[in-house]
Amino acid sequence: MTELDDTTRTELEAAAFRRLVSHLRNRTDVQNLDLMNLAGFCRNCLSNWLKDAADERGLGLSKEDMRLAVYGMPYEEWKARYQTEARPEQLAAFEAAKPQH
C-alpha cells in the first residue's frame, strides 16, 4: 500500500467512521447487545470513544452530544423505538465474553 500522509489517512479514517455510523443508524434491528457479543463494542462504545477524543482536545461536548452523533437521535428515543428486551441467550453470551473496555 502506498504511504499516506497524516491528513489523507485521517480523512480516510473519518470517512470510514462516518460510513460505519450511517450503517449502524440504518440497522436499528441490530441490538447493541448483539454488537457487543459479536464484535466487543457497540454504539455506546463508539459514542464513549468520541467523548474521550473530545475530552482529550478540551472540547465541552457531553456524553449526550456524542450519543446523538452516533444514534442520530437522543439515546432515550432510540431505546424506546428500537431496543428490545434481552433474550437469555444474548445475556449468557455477554457474560461469557465479559468485554473489558
Side-chain angles (χ1 to χ4, degrees):
M1 184 168 133
T2 305
E3 185 70 25
L4 298 175
D5 62 85
D6 287 346
T7 299
T8 301
R9 181 183 48 78
T10 299
E11 289 170 354
L12 294 174
E13 291 168 350
F17 178 80
R18 287 189 297 271
R19 190 168 177 179
L20 172 62
V21 167
S22 175
H23 180 76
L24 291 174
R25 284 183 183 177
N26 289 318
R27 289 299 310 268
T28 56
D29 59 310
V30 178
Q31 296 295 301
N32 281 334
L33 189 53
D34 294 324
L35 289 169
M36 288 297 294
N37 288 340
L38 179 65
F41 76 97
C42 68
R43 293 169 183 90
N44 289 335
C45 298
L46 289 176
S47 65
N48 291 340
W49 298 338
L50 279 173
K51 175 78 169 100
D52 292 345
D55 289 349
E56 288 172 7
R57 287 158 184 78
L59 303 175
L61 298 171
S62 70
K63 184 175 184 175
E64 290 76 25
D65 292 332
M66 299 298 88
R67 283 188 170 178
L68 182 60
V70 170
Y71 285 92
M73 65 183 69
Y75 178 58
E76 293 302 321
E77 181 180 340
W78 191 93
K79 283 183 6 180
R81 285 187 184 190
Y82 304 114
Q83 187 167 305
T84 61
E85 190 71 30
R87 296 183 317 274
E89 61 271 17
Q90 289 172 308
L91 294 172
F94 183 77
E95 284 301 314
K98 292 265 190 199
Q100 298 298 314
H101 64 277

